[in-house]
Structures are given as C-alpha cells and as structure tokens.
Amino acid sequence: MLRNWWWKLLGLLAIIYSIIAGLTIQVPKLPVIYQTIRNLFFHVPLWFTMFVMFGTSLVYSIKYLNKLKPGDDVAASQSVNTGLFFGLLGLLTGMIWAKNTWGDYWTNDPQLNGAAVSILAYLAYNVLRASIDERALRARVSAVYNIFSFMLLVIFLGVLPRLADSSLHPGKGGNSSAMADLDPAMRLVFYPAVAGWIIIGFWILEIRKRKRKLEMFLEQS
Amino acid sequence: MKEISELIKKDFLLELRQRYAINAILLYVVSTVFVVQLAFGRIIDANTWITLFWIIMLFAAFNAVSKSFLQEHQTRWLYYFTLASPQSIILSKIIYNSILMVLLGFLSLLLYVLFMGMPEFNHAILYPVFILGCIGLASTLTMVSAIASNAGNNMALMAILGFPIVLPLLLLVINSFKIALSAEIFTLQLIKSIGSLFLIDTVVVIMAALLFPYLWHK
C-alpha cells in the first residue's frame, strides 16, 4: 500500500487546500488572538505530526528489540529525525505567533516546557547514537533509551500541565478558548490540515529510510 | 529475592570499605551550600530556597549514581551475569542507590538547613515528597547510567541523556515542595502531587526491569 502514489497525492492536496482555505476563510473574531487564530491550521498540525513520528519511532524500537532486524533500527532513527524536523517547524511557527500575541518568543508555559524537553530528549537520542560505533550495540542501546524516555515524556506531557492548571495556550485556560468550541468552518480546514501533514510526514520518512538503507549498502560494498 | 539482597549487601560492603560516595558527595554538598550562603546570604525567599536545594540534590545524585555502573570493571560484570539474572542486578542497583540517595538527601538537607535556615513547611507532606523524590532521582539515573555505560562510560553523555528524563521528576518535586509551603493544604492537590511522584517512580522501576535485560543481551 505504501508503494502506491495516491496517498501522497491525497496528502499534497490536503495541504494545498489547508493553506489556501486557511488563509482565506472567514474566522471568528476572538479577543487577543484575532486573525492569528489562522496559525491553528499550521502550528498545531506540525506538532501533531511530530508526536506521530515519535510514536512511530517507539513502535519501531519495540519491534527492533523483539526481532533484532536492522531495518527496524533504521526506521526508528529516521522517524526520530523526521519528528525533530517537524518539531523545529512547529517551534518556529509557535514562536513567531507567540511574539505577536503574547509579546515574547518564549514564555514559561507547561506546554512549551513539555515540547522543549521532548526535543532535548530526542536530540540526546541522536548524541547517544553518534557515540557508539558498533552497529548492533548502537541499535539496541538507543532502542532502550527511546522506549525509556518516551514513557517518561508521556507522563510529563500528560500529568504536569494538569497539575499546573494555568497554561497560556488558547483552549487550555489562557486567552480565548479556541479549541473547545471550534468554529465548524474552521474544523473543515483543521482536520484536513492535520491529516495532510501527517501523510507528508510518512512520505518524508519513507524517503529518508530508503536513503539511509542505500547509504548503508554503499558503506558495506 | 536472595540474589537481590546478596547483591545489595555486596554494594554496601564496597561502599563501607571505600567510603567514596558518602564522603565525596557530602564534601560536594558542603562546598556548594557554602558558596550559596556566601553568594545569597542567609535570607532568601522560600522559592529560591527550594529551587537551589533541588539543583544541589540533582548534581549530587548525578555524582552518586553515575558510578554505579562505571565503578566496577567490565570483566567483573561478566562474572556477575553468570551468577545472577539481569532483573535482580538492576533491581539491586536501584534499591541500593535509592537507600544511598535517601541517606545522602537527609544529610544534605541537614547541612542546607544549618547554613541557610528553613522556611516553614508542612512536615507531614515534606518528608514523603522528599523520600519519593530521592527514590525517583536514584532509580531514573541508575537506568541512565546503565545506558551510558554501554556507550563508553562517558560522564558528559550521562548528563545529556539524564537531564531531559529527570526534568519532569524535578519539576514535580519542586512543585510539591511549594505546595507544602502553604499553611492550608488542599487534599486534592496533595493526592495529585504525591500520586504523580509515586506513578513516576513505579513506571521507572518497571521500565528498568523490563528494558535492562536487552542491554546485556550479548
């Protein structure tokens, strides 16, 4: 199924649609955020894609520890890299938005802290991979670290924001609650945008996996 | 169970003979607390007090725990693995480090209070949170040091790997200490913070027991 081309086309169309519609549709006028609510169509799907990619890498890491197939290790590490790429894009769109809405690029917000810590953890994962030369050992140790840190990050992202119960994020206590009662017209753009970016994420992942496998093949021969 | 208790006994014997961890870490804590007192003076507000204390504890924990897998020679590990199962090795290490951290933690707290004074805490909350925090720090860092020992035993790597993992726990402990400051305690908040600390500790121990065998699957 993944070798077919139709799902790539679907993802591309969804993204083009979400960009055009996201910039042109009528949005409800909410205090403080006003027109910047359109960032919902870009920033939020990028974060979702990042978490889907990190989740994919968790699945591949568990698969690797079960079967010890090198292909799963390549997939796990490339999902992390793709996730980091989407994470940086999400961070960038979020920071530009925050500068214009909250007046600062970075604030002490539970959601921001969670995002920063997950990106740090996966950068550490890459450092760990770089520091081990032997291929099988590297695959095993990094899979263990991936699973261990993912579990703790889930607790961090799931429990701590609820403990703090004061987030600046729209829909999470701060500003206007945009997510809770999202405009139906905006939903029609938001869901395709999420689906589209996730599909593009898997497309990038496929290409990266193939590239890495070819590189490994060339190294051996 | 027999294996685990024997291994813990061995670790304590080693510690009593070498006296490395206790002495080195206490000296570290004394000098840091002294610097803190010189820099801040005795009067600091409660939030700074809590934060400084846990930052000192974090680095003390890194120093105390990081040696648990670095201290012994690689060939001796091979010998242990012919004797005991990987689960009992990691569990014994976690229990030993937790006991060590709780002891060190109380000694550090004593020193810190001696130099810096103490804000008025609700002690019924403070000590459970403190003990759970020490156990959490010790068990998380034990697993991290097991991972780092596979990558050439490098201290910098241990810090890089450990920091993002330990941060949730640290924030939670600092948060709970701040809750313990207020005179009136909401039971719900109390259950929430102690419950999530307990949850983190349990998840770490279970994950360590599940994942550690793969680190030695040679």
Side-chain angles (χ1 to χ4, degrees):
Chain A
M1 177 207 138
L2 284 178
R3 292 196 185 281
N4 287 335
W5 53 270
W6 56 266
W7 61 278
K8 297 172 186 168
L9 192 71
L10 204 70
L12 214 58
L13 284 177
I15 285 183
I16 292 171
Y17 161 71
S18 80
I19 290 175
I20 295 172
L23 291 175
T24 51
I25 60 157
Q26 281 280 309
V27 289
K29 265 212 176 104
L30 295 172
V32 184
I33 37 185
Y34 296 113
Q35 289 292 323
T36 65
I37 198 172
R38 294 183 195 279
N39 202 18
L40 176 76
F41 306 129
F42 305 100
H43 171 66
V44 182
L46 289 170
W47 277 128
F48 282 4
T49 314
M50 177 187 88
F51 283 114
V52 169
M53 284 298 130
F54 288 162
T56 314
S57 94
L58 174 79
V59 172
Y60 278 119
S61 282
I62 294 173
K63 254 169 102 177
Y64 178 79
L65 287 186
N66 270 333
K67 302 245 174 70
L68 295 178
K69 269 197 275 182
D72 289 335
D73 175 53
V74 172
S77 83
Q78 291 311 320
S79 327
V80 165
N81 286 335
T82 317
L84 279 174
F85 170 68
F86 278 99
L88 288 179
L89 287 182
L91 207 61
L92 211 65
T93 49
M95 279 167 98
I96 294 168
W97 179 83
K99 177 70 186 168
N100 291 297
T101 320
W102 299 336
D104 225 331
Y105 287 113
W106 193 268
T107 52
N108 194 3
D109 180 90
Q111 299 231 306
L112 283 167
N113 292 339
V117 170
S118 8
I119 287 178
L120 273 182
Y122 283 100
L123 287 175
Y125 170 88
N126 275 338
V127 172
L128 177 66
R129 287 187 73 87
S131 69
I132 307 177
D133 288 328
E134 195 194 325
R135 199 170 280 165
L137 183 69
R138 174 173 64 204
R140 209 148 30 78
V141 172
S142 61
V144 167
Y145 182 71
N146 191 2
I147 298 170
F148 192 62
S149 61
F150 188 90
M151 287 304 159
L152 284 172
L153 286 176
V154 165
I155 297 179
F156 189 39
L157 296 169
V159 174
L160 283 197
R162 274 177 195 80
L163 274 182
D165 61 41
S166 66
S167 172
L168 284 172
H169 264 76
K172 296 250 165 85
N175 306 142
S176 324
S177 49
M179 288 294 276
D181 40 16
L182 190 58
D183 195 59
M186 284 178 67
R187 277 173 204 271
L188 275 183
V189 184
F190 178 62
Y191 294 136
V194 172
W197 283 112
I198 290 176
I199 291 173
I200 295 294
F202 276 106
W203 189 2
I204 295 175
L205 175 61
E206 280 300 299
I207 296 169
R208 292 190 84 122
K209 265 178 359 193
R210 287 215 300 272
K211 176 170 167 269
R212 184 75 198 113
K213 275 179 188 159
L214 283 176
E215 277 171 6
M216 278 165 70
F217 180 74
L218 284 177
E219 274 167 26
Q220 276 170 348
S221 61
Chain B
M1 283 322 280
K2 186 91 178 31
E3 270 175 6
I4 296 177
S5 63
E6 286 295 324
L7 283 166
I8 296 173
K9 217 182 283 171
K10 175 221 70 171
D11 273 333
F12 271 110
L13 263 179
L14 268 179
E15 179 55 45
L16 282 178
R17 281 190 198 147
Q18 299 179 332
R19 303 265 168 92
Y20 166 81
I22 300 270
N23 286 343
I25 308 296
L26 278 185
L27 200 58
Y28 158 79
V29 172
V30 170
S31 26
T32 325
V33 170
F34 188 54
V35 170
V36 167
Q37 206 221 7
L38 287 180
F40 282 90
R42 252 187 95 91
I43 304 144
I44 52 175
D45 65 304
N47 278 353
T48 322
W49 191 93
I50 294 170
T51 316
L52 275 175
F53 177 67
W54 279 104
I55 290 173
I56 294 173
M57 284 296 288
L58 175 70
F59 285 97
F62 265 110
N63 282 324
V65 176
S66 66
K67 71 175 190 61
S68 63
F69 281 90
L70 314 184
Q71 169 195 48
E72 293 180 64
H73 203 268
Q74 206 73 40
T75 45
R76 206 187 300 166
W77 281 114
L78 286 178
Y79 174 60
Y80 290 144
F81 282 101
T82 58
L83 294 178
S85 74
Q87 267 98 356
S88 42
I89 286 180
I90 188 74
L91 286 179
S92 76
K93 279 286 180 196
I94 284 180
I95 295 170
Y96 164 74
N97 280 328
S98 302
I99 297 172
L100 187 72
M101 261 320 282
V102 172
L103 282 178
L104 279 173
F106 273 111
L107 284 173
S108 319
L109 185 66
L110 198 72
L111 280 169
Y112 194 63
V113 170
L114 222 63
F115 276 88
M116 303 296 297
M118 196 178 196
E120 282 197 15
F121 283 112
N122 185 333
H123 289 274
I125 303 170
L126 188 73
Y127 293 117
V129 167
F130 182 74
I131 291 171
L132 282 176
C134 285
I135 293 175
L137 272 182
S139 41
T140 316
L141 290 177
T142 307
M143 189 60 191
V144 172
S145 97
I147 292 172
S149 76
N150 273 288
N153 280 346
N154 152 355
M155 256 311 270
L157 191 67
M158 164 110 191
I160 294 169
L161 295 181
F163 181 71
I165 294 190
V166 139
L167 198 67
L169 187 80
L170 204 66
L171 285 180
L172 200 58
V173 172
I174 291 176
N175 208 21
S176 313
F177 261 52
K178 283 179 186 164
I179 290 175
L181 267 179
S182 60
E184 42 177 334
I185 301 295
F186 309 103
T187 350
L188 186 68
Q189 264 186 325
L190 182 70
I191 294 170
K192 257 186 182 173
S193 56
I194 291 188
S196 23
L197 269 176
F198 192 73
L199 179 75
I200 289 189
D201 289 7
T202 327
V203 167
V204 167
V205 173
I206 292 173
M207 292 307 291
L210 281 177
L211 289 174
F212 187 71
Y214 291 106
L215 287 177
W216 290 99
H217 185 74
K218 283 182 181 170

